[in-house]
Amino acid sequence: MQLIVNGILMGAIISIGAVGLTLVSRILHFFYFGYAAMLVYGAYLTMTLFNDVGLPLLPSVLISLPLLSLLAILIDKITFKNLRERGTGPFGMMVVGIGLELFLRSSVRLLWGSDVMRYDLPIRRAIVFPFNVRITPNQLVIISAAFALMILLHVFLDQTKIGKAMRATADNIDLARVRGIDTERVITWTWVIASISAGFAGFFLALDTRLVPIMGWKLLLPLFAAVILGGVGNPYGALAGGMIIGISQEVSAGFITPTYKPAVAFVIMTITLLIKPSGLFGRGGQG
Amino acid sequence: MTLLSAEDIVSGYGKVEILHEVSVYVDEEEMVSIIGPNGSGKSTLMKTIFGMVDVWEGRVDFQAESIVDIPPHKIVRKGLCYVPQEKNIFPSLTVEENLDMGAFIRKDDYSEELERVYGIFPALLEKQKQVVGNLSGGQQQMVAMGAALTLDPKILLLDEPTAGLAPNLAKMILDKIKEVNETGVAILIVEQNAREALKLSNRGYVLAMGENRFTGNSRDLLKNEEVGKLYLGG
């Protein structure tokens, strides 16, 4: 039971992070490794605002998100926008993404140091539920906030015009252009959503564990696994994929050494690619 | 009155010239077919008119106004819509959302156009909330055309709307296109089912090797022995 609850917690974090990654991957047509650094930046910016500036926790998170969005959009305008205009292929983009990841991760070490850090929060005792399931109040907050975020994301993508345009662009960017959708604006919005997604995932992960510059990189594999499992570009698939990866990783710890947790994500990802490359919630007909 | 005219178009991809001085025109409310063997430049002509392929020489006029060098998303606003042969829908969006995206640039009310689309394609009404990627090929074509119709265009450019469809389905789609045409929308259509398309059209063009080969009203083209033997399968 405890393992399943841990799995839901991990799944919630992965799901939230995977939504942004899946949209970025699809709309920009490559797997963005720098996404890991966005998670880390989200977590560290929140820490600075909370620990050092002394803001309450929720405003710290909410202020870190626009900062993170600005950073992401700036990076896009400097690097990827130029590459898009020159018609650089996905391979070139991906290499630039890896470079950005290394650069940004190092900048975290430069700005905040390499030491393990944590949010200055009092340590609170876990609440014991039936079946001897232990959940800390923080974890309860993470799970409920993650589900609330999923609902908000759904409303945004399903009901707003820009949300629909974003899914349309993810589906078929050429047709979106023909239909008069300003795809550069959609890309900017995609970075905003990706920042919110990465910012929260980074914050949740740091809240549940601690802050280290490598934390985003370690979460990247399960994130990619969730994205592929759910079908690249499908935000709902990413949410479901994140849950499946999270739960299977944690539950596997009951049978095999926890060190192999990341391998579980890798195995699921490989099996998906072999059996159904379009993902569990594939994209039907075209695309 | 002439609605759309392309005169002496020369265009191609990279350095390869595909069209060598091709001319076509469409009058208001007219249905015109372009037929010809594979590789004759039919699709390239459509893309050139719609601004997706650069015009090297010649001119394209829509409502007596040049549309050369105007990007597709602006041409759409003038009332000229293009339905590509492939990837002409958003597969993970529902029928309703696909139609909304068709009308993306409209800020006014387009419920009348939606009603017309569902009137012509009643099959879509039942599938409104379904994801288009899961629909049949014929229904996907209906969505693609319906999305273009939400802009209330003066002319529709259709690039092989029946590609990959079973014969009876292809016939049904072509009849639907005629129905759209009868509501006053001019149609310029590239079609593999040449005979069927010509029967429904007012006029036709036969392209071969990137040049105008035959031009005339459909009845004459259908009767022309050479056209029949070479391009209509005997």
Side-chain angles (χ1 to χ4, degrees):
Chain A
M1 255 330 262
Q2 181 71 51
L3 290 173
I4 292 176
V5 173
N6 289 350
I8 292 174
L9 176 72
M10 205 54 217
I13 296 173
I14 295 173
S15 296
I16 289 300
V19 175
L21 185 59
T22 204
L23 286 172
V24 166
S25 308
R26 185 75 196 182
I27 291 177
L28 281 83
H29 291 286
F30 70 100
F31 281 127
Y32 182 42
F33 284 80
Y35 194 75
M38 288 174 68
L39 278 128
V40 181
Y41 259 88
Y44 275 81
L45 282 171
T46 302
M47 183 190 70
T48 299
L49 291 166
F50 178 65
N51 288 9
D52 303 335
V53 180
L55 292 176
L57 195 55
L58 186 63
S60 303
V61 181
L62 294 182
I63 293 173
S64 78
L65 297 176
L67 293 176
L68 193 60
S69 307
L70 277 179
L71 182 70
I73 293 167
L74 191 71
I75 290 173
D76 181 66
K77 296 270 184 245
I78 295 173
T79 55
F80 296 121
K81 185 164 188 282
N82 285 316
L83 295 171
R84 275 198 295 280
E85 280 162 7
R86 278 175 214 177
T88 307
F91 183 71
M93 295 276 201
M94 206 153 88
V95 173
V96 173
I98 294 171
L100 277 169
E101 160 64 17
L102 293 172
F103 170 75
L104 290 169
R105 199 202 303 166
S106 310
S107 72
V108 170
R109 287 182 207 278
L110 195 71
L111 289 168
W112 287 284
S114 318
D115 294 340
V116 174
M117 289 192 254
R118 42 178 295 117
Y119 296 120
D120 283 337
L121 284 168
I123 294 171
R124 284 186 285 181
R125 187 172 298 177
I127 307 164
V128 183
F129 285 90
F131 300 104
N132 203 24
V133 171
R134 288 159 186 279
I135 310 175
T136 67
N138 282 349
Q139 291 173 331
L140 271 183
V141 169
I142 293 172
I143 293 176
S144 32
F147 280 102
L149 265 178
M150 288 178 197
I151 293 169
L152 282 178
L153 275 169
H154 166 72
V155 171
F156 172 80
L157 289 168
D158 201 58
Q159 302 295 329
T160 67
K161 198 171 179 184
I162 188 78
K164 283 183 204 170
M166 197 175 284
R167 284 191 294 137
T169 307
D171 256 10
N172 190 339
I173 192 164
D174 295 324
L175 184 63
R177 267 191 212 119
V178 169
R179 293 286 162 73
I181 296 173
D182 182 348
T183 47
E184 277 300 318
R185 201 169 133 241
V186 168
I187 288 174
T188 302
W189 270 95
T190 307
W191 285 113
V192 172
I193 295 300
S195 301
I196 292 172
S197 167
F200 269 106
F203 166 67
F204 290 153
L205 184 66
L207 189 62
D208 189 44
T209 55
R210 61 214 185 291
L211 293 119
V212 273
I214 196 83
M215 59 186 272
W217 187 249
K218 282 187 170 164
L219 198 66
L220 201 59
L221 180 61
L223 283 177
F224 276 135
V227 166
I228 288 168
L229 188 61
V232 181
N234 183 339
Y236 304 111
L239 289 175
M243 267 300 159
I244 295 171
I245 298 287
I247 293 173
S248 17
Q249 273 198 1
E250 293 302 320
V251 170
S252 76
F255 310 100
I256 54 174
T257 325
T259 327
Y260 291 122
K261 268 190 212 171
V264 175
F266 196 71
V267 167
I268 294 177
M269 184 167 90
T270 311
I271 292 174
T272 315
L273 284 174
L274 284 173
I275 298 174
K276 200 161 182 299
S278 57
L280 277 186
F281 310 93
R283 316 166 44 80
Q286 307 179 342
Chain B
M1 218 184 92
T2 305
L3 183 65
L4 172 76
S5 77
E7 271 171 60
D8 302 326
I9 297 293
V10 178
S11 81
Y13 305 95
K15 282 183 180 155
V16 185
E17 188 178 307
I18 308 276
L19 299 178
H20 321 293
E21 300 197 345
V22 173
S23 301
V24 296
Y25 74 89
V26 183
D27 282 339
E28 271 173 17
E29 306 196 359
E30 204 182 19
M31 179 158 168
V32 175
S33 293
I34 300 176
I35 61 173
N38 286 331
S40 58
K42 304 183 302 278
S43 293
T44 309
L45 178 62
M46 295 292 239
K47 286 181 190 162
T48 309
I49 292 174
F50 196 62
M52 295 171 82
V53 172
D54 287 341
V55 178
W56 296 359
E57 276 172 46
R59 52 182 298 135
V60 184
D61 291 330
F62 180 60
Q63 294 185 306
E65 198 186 323
S66 172
I67 52 168
V68 172
D69 291 335
I70 296 182
H73 67 267
K74 291 202 174 129
I75 292 182
V76 164
R77 286 167 202 260
K78 294 181 183 288
L80 189 157
C81 286
Y82 165 70
V83 181
Q85 182 183 352
E86 291 176 313
K87 301 200 168 184
N88 50 22
I89 50 154
F90 299 116
S92 77
L93 271 57
T94 64
V95 169
E96 207 176 19
E97 288 170 336
N98 262 277
L99 296 181
D100 282 343
M101 286 298 119
F104 185 82
I105 55 170
R106 290 190 69 157
K107 302 219 158 39
D108 53 337
D109 180 45
Y110 51 90
S111 48
E112 211 174 289
E113 277 75 23
L114 285 181
E115 231 167 79
R116 180 168 75 159
V117 170
Y118 288 129
I120 298 173
F121 306 112
L124 297 183
L125 199 57
E126 300 155 26
K127 313 253 171 176
Q128 249 178 331
K129 304 276 176 203
Q130 284 194 34
V131 170
V132 174
N134 297 335
L135 300 184
S136 70
Q139 286 164 342
Q140 292 189 356
Q141 279 302 337
M142 295 183 199
V143 172
M145 270 190 276
L149 286 174
T150 58
L151 291 178
D152 195 17
K154 299 209 170 45
I155 181 167
L156 269 186
L157 269 52
L158 303 171
D159 194 352
E160 297 205 16
T162 67
L165 297 183
N168 56 337
L169 215 52
K171 177 84 177 69
M172 191 269 282
I173 290 286
L174 286 173
D175 287 340
K176 288 288 179 193
I177 292 168
K178 188 65 199 168
E179 219 178 304
V180 171
N181 175 235
E182 278 161 1
T183 66
V185 184
I187 306 270
L188 180 62
I189 179 176
V190 164
E191 186 51 49
Q192 287 286 346
N193 295 307
R195 196 176 288 276
E196 291 299 327
L198 278 176
K199 275 184 201 162
L200 297 173
S201 303
N202 303 92
R203 290 187 301 112
Y205 291 90
V206 180
L207 288 195
M209 312 282 284
E211 283 170 16
N212 285 88
R213 188 57 53 93
F214 293 97
T215 306
N217 69 47
S218 303
R219 216 171 305 131
D220 296 341
L221 285 178
L222 283 166
K223 273 192 237 149
N224 184 310
E225 261 180 45
E226 205 179 342
V227 172
K229 214 174 357 173
L230 289 172
Y231 306 111
L232 299 175

